[in-house]
Amino acid sequence: MIMFGTFEKKIFGIEWQKILSYRFEFWLNFFGEMALCIIIPYFLWDTIYVSKNITVYHGLALPDIVSYSFCAFYCFKIVMGGGKEGSISQEIYYGTLSRYLVYPMNYLFMKYIQYMATSLFHLSKFVLLLVLAKWWWHLPIDPTVEQLGLFVLILFLAANFVFLIFTINECMAFWADNVWSLQVIFRTTLQILGGLYSPLLFFPEKFQNILAWSPISHCVYTPVMILLGKQGYPLFSIFASLMISISILFFLLKAVWKRGLIKFEAAGM
Amino acid sequence: MLKKYSRIYWQFLRISFSKAASFRFDFYFRTIMDIFYYASIILFFDVIYGHTATLGGWNQSQMHIFLASYFVLDSLDMTIFSTNLWWLPLHINRGDLDLYLTKPINSLFYLGLKEFQVGSLINVFFSYALFLYFWLSSQVGLTFLDLMIHHLLLINALFLFNFVRIFFIISAFWSGSPRGIDELFIGFTRFLNYPEQIYPNWLRKIMVSIIPFSFMISIPHQIIFGQKSVIWIFISIAVTLFFGWLATCLWKMGLSKYSSASS
């Protein structure tokens, strides 16, 4: 039986340690990313608002859209968690997966814990940056406790959804010679249809209606809109699409993993 | 000297092509992946142009030419340099540069060019076809001379892009990190997607001096659209030469800090 015990806590600790091990790079990336994800959207949208001579568009003022871009950038990082291309596929290619298979633990569960540890790290970083950005740039983000709860819950489900697709893609390494490009296709889809580059509100209405039932749009756009206190998609469609997709993908992953292991050839220890 | 390095590069190409023939899945999916990426960027800008007529003074067809040039630059980089520079900080981190340093050729040449991504080569042709399509279907009124200037500056941009990237990677010599600050560089590349005219003066000054991203796509297009004088062609080339020299000096400094992992 799998319980959240010492083993899982250790994995959490190791993952956080890995992220923090190169302090200079960490802090440079920390502040660099923060500046970039505010400066670029600010000047881009400012140009558009000025050229249209408007202050509010689709219910979003310039500070709202800058806040959106800022939050979207970090939400994307949270749902992508520890999804590093090659983290599973390389073990399959080099045959090193065999060393995990002989241990009394579930390999995919270990990968899940690693993934979630990174997600949690990015979430903590986001909370800290949010406070900083509010104080420094006066971003209009004032969520209620309920909105915060909903935000975290949807992000958690979205991270599960992304983890499952990410892992299924990685498992394709049992059959395909390189899966890196598959992961990039998925990431690009998530970036554009998830609302990382611009709020889905700006997309044509028909397109938005289709996206309401797609779990991808709930990975970035929905949680950010909830955090900003703006009207997003109905809660029913959000939870239904995420839960149904997670259930289907969970069984799909189990089947892919089982078939893949039959095909797996280890190179030796 | 040139003959020697051409012969070596020819060998790199031969090995890369035979490698690509063995990894067919990667070959096809790389092509699909990049087409997908280009489509997503065009879609994003089409959404933006659905709400505004101009961006930084450029209309949609000018922006399409600008974006297609960015895709050509990106695909050239993915084909020639990107994979090699991706692995470079890892070689430094693991201490396995010895193999490259002991060869009687320039180590930066070897490490920066040894792998040629054949799968991405298809995208060079695809993005160039897209560029020509946008160019010919636009009402901008560009001449053959503009096309030549554009190509010259794009090749210049390819080198400048990678010289600047080396700055970010090379920190691995001092910090020991497996990625250097490459992640930050990838963040900075977002500046390439937009015309520099959308930024305020202070930021534009930074983008033509400290982090010269404006010289890669924005300034070449301002030249061919007649918004900047031809003197900027020479400035662009001079900036690339300067950054190339700086990157080489920094590489040498880094090597003096390098410690091998093996005997």
Side-chain angles (χ1 to χ4, degrees):
Chain A
M1 197 172 122
I2 296 159
M3 298 278 286
F4 198 88
T6 327
F7 173 69
E8 288 77 18
K9 275 182 200 160
K10 255 188 187 164
I11 294 177
F12 250 81
I14 292 168
E15 287 306 304
W16 281 48
Q17 213 174 357
K18 264 199 254 175
I19 299 168
L20 291 166
S21 46
Y22 299 102
R23 298 283 159 88
F24 170 70
E25 273 84 359
F26 175 79
W27 288 111
L28 211 61
N29 281 327
F30 184 88
F31 289 110
E33 271 176 7
M34 181 192 177
L36 282 176
C37 74
I38 288 183
I39 288 173
I40 296 176
Y42 174 81
F43 291 115
L44 170 70
W45 292 106
D46 182 52
T47 309
I48 295 169
Y49 276 58
V50 169
S51 75
K52 281 183 82 76
N53 201 17
I54 48 167
T55 50
V56 178
Y57 196 58
H58 282 284
L60 297 173
L62 184 62
D64 292 324
I65 204 148
V66 174
S67 305
Y68 177 91
S69 304
F70 172 75
C71 297
F73 179 82
Y74 286 99
C75 282
F76 181 74
K77 275 188 164 267
I78 294 165
V79 294
M80 282 303 289
K84 289 184 195 77
E85 288 92 0
S87 61
I88 299 172
S89 56
Q90 291 300 314
E91 309 261 25
I92 297 170
Y93 293 136
Y94 295 135
T96 47
L97 181 68
S98 55
R99 68 180 169 198
Y100 296 102
L101 299 178
V102 293
Y103 293 154
M105 62 169 196
N106 186 325
Y107 176 74
L108 289 182
F109 181 71
M110 184 192 79
K111 286 287 164 190
Y112 176 74
I113 298 290
Q114 284 180 336
Y115 191 96
M116 287 300 164
T118 314
S119 279
L120 192 67
F121 182 85
H122 288 310
L123 181 64
S124 320
K125 193 168 91 174
F126 173 59
V127 173
L128 183 67
L129 284 168
L130 199 62
V131 176
L132 265 176
K134 262 186 76 66
W135 168 70
W136 201 347
W137 274 292
H138 309 288
L139 295 183
I141 311 169
D142 297 295
T144 62
V145 179
E146 284 165 9
Q147 284 166 345
L148 265 179
L150 206 55
F151 168 77
V152 174
L153 181 64
I154 294 172
L155 270 188
F156 173 71
L157 289 175
N160 277 277
F161 166 75
V162 175
F163 167 78
L164 287 166
I165 296 195
F166 173 83
T167 312
I168 290 170
N169 282 346
E170 285 288 297
C171 287
M172 288 299 124
F174 284 118
W175 295 274
D177 50 53
N178 201 328
V179 295
W180 171 75
S181 33
L182 255 185
Q183 297 288 36
V184 178
I185 292 173
F186 170 60
R187 202 174 53 203
T188 310
T189 312
L190 194 64
Q191 283 171 341
I192 191 85
L193 300 183
L196 172 67
Y197 295 142
S198 82
L200 300 182
L201 264 176
F202 294 170
F203 282 58
E205 210 171 312
K206 275 184 190 168
F207 205 59
Q208 283 185 54
N209 292 339
I210 300 167
L211 284 175
W213 291 96
S214 149
I216 287 184
S217 62
H218 307 316
C219 292
V220 177
Y221 174 71
T222 303
V224 174
M225 289 303 266
I226 288 171
L227 195 69
L228 297 180
K230 305 281 176 191
Q231 183 66 39
Y233 292 125
L235 281 181
F236 174 73
S237 74
I238 299 167
F239 284 103
S241 66
L242 277 172
M243 297 296 279
I244 292 168
S245 333
I246 289 171
S247 312
I248 295 169
L249 289 170
F250 177 74
F251 289 108
L252 187 65
L253 174 62
K254 276 186 95 170
V256 168
W257 180 250
K258 209 173 154 186
R259 278 175 180 267
L261 279 186
I262 295 167
K263 212 175 176 307
F264 176 65
E265 284 174 31
M269 297 291 279
Chain B
M1 177 102 147
L2 193 70
K3 204 175 163 191
K4 176 188 162 189
Y5 279 93
S6 310
R7 271 206 343 257
I8 293 168
Y9 195 64
W10 174 244
Q11 293 305 320
F12 289 163
L13 286 179
R14 280 183 58 187
I15 295 165
S16 301
F17 270 89
S18 59
K19 223 168 132 183
S22 334
F23 297 105
R24 301 222 173 143
F25 184 87
D26 183 47
F27 181 81
Y28 296 126
F29 266 81
R30 245 174 207 274
T31 311
I32 299 169
M33 171 192 89
D34 280 344
I35 292 172
F36 221 77
Y37 172 66
Y38 304 153
S40 75
I41 301 259
I42 292 175
L43 176 71
F44 169 66
F45 277 93
D46 284 353
V47 168
I48 286 183
Y49 274 97
H51 303 282
T52 181
T54 58
L55 189 64
W58 287 353
N59 59 32
Q60 196 168 6
S61 61
Q62 284 174 314
M63 183 54 81
H64 278 156
I65 294 172
F66 172 83
L67 288 177
S69 303
Y70 168 66
F71 300 154
V72 176
L73 176 69
D74 178 67
S75 57
L76 279 170
D77 177 55
M78 289 289 283
T79 309
I80 303 169
F81 294 106
S82 192
T83 311
N84 299 303
L85 292 190
W86 174 263
W87 285 105
L88 186 55
L90 280 164
H91 287 312
I92 299 168
N93 170 260
R94 291 175 189 163
D96 54 12
L97 278 185
D98 309 29
L99 179 75
Y100 307 98
L101 298 178
T102 50
K103 297 277 186 285
I105 55 167
N106 185 302
S107 53
L108 200 53
F109 170 84
Y110 193 176
L111 284 154
L113 293 166
K114 66 186 163 65
E115 250 186 81
F116 183 89
Q117 281 298 336
V118 184
S120 296
L121 184 63
I122 307 288
N123 293 315
V124 176
F125 299 121
F126 178 79
S127 56
Y128 190 71
L130 195 69
F131 166 76
L132 282 182
Y133 170 74
F134 285 141
W135 179 286
L136 295 171
S137 61
S138 76
Q139 305 295 317
V140 185
L142 298 164
T143 62
F144 183 72
L145 182 66
D146 291 328
L147 193 73
M148 289 298 109
I149 293 170
H150 174 272
H151 288 12
L152 171 74
L153 291 177
L154 212 60
I155 294 165
N156 181 62
L158 179 67
F159 284 99
L160 181 58
F161 181 83
N162 285 287
F163 289 146
V164 176
R165 189 173 180 189
I166 287 172
F167 282 30
F168 285 78
I169 287 171
I170 236 157
S171 68
F173 275 119
W174 289 272
S175 68
S177 151
R179 287 255 49 87
I181 43 171
D182 201 26
E183 211 176 307
L184 193 63
F185 175 79
I186 294 165
F188 276 124
T189 58
R190 287 171 66 199
F191 281 117
L192 289 176
N193 288 358
Y194 309 106
E196 65 149 8
Q197 304 91 293
I198 69 165
Y199 302 115
N201 270 337
W202 64 268
L203 193 53
R204 288 167 77 167
K205 277 178 189 159
I206 292 175
M207 286 168 66
V208 292
S209 53
I210 303 166
I211 312 157
F213 278 91
S214 290
F215 285 108
M216 296 173 197
I217 306 284
S218 256
I219 290 177
H221 284 81
Q222 288 179 64
I223 296 169
I224 60 166
F225 294 152
Q227 294 162 342
K228 262 190 169 39
S229 67
V230 284
I231 189 81
W232 284 90
I233 300 173
F234 303 105
I235 298 173
S236 302
I237 295 167
V239 166
T240 304
L241 290 173
F242 175 70
F243 272 83
W245 171 76
L246 220 57
T248 317
C249 291
L250 214 65
W251 173 251
K252 283 178 185 160
M253 274 171 68
L255 283 181
S256 65
K257 278 267 165 198
Y258 170 71
S259 53
S260 166
S262 58
S263 59

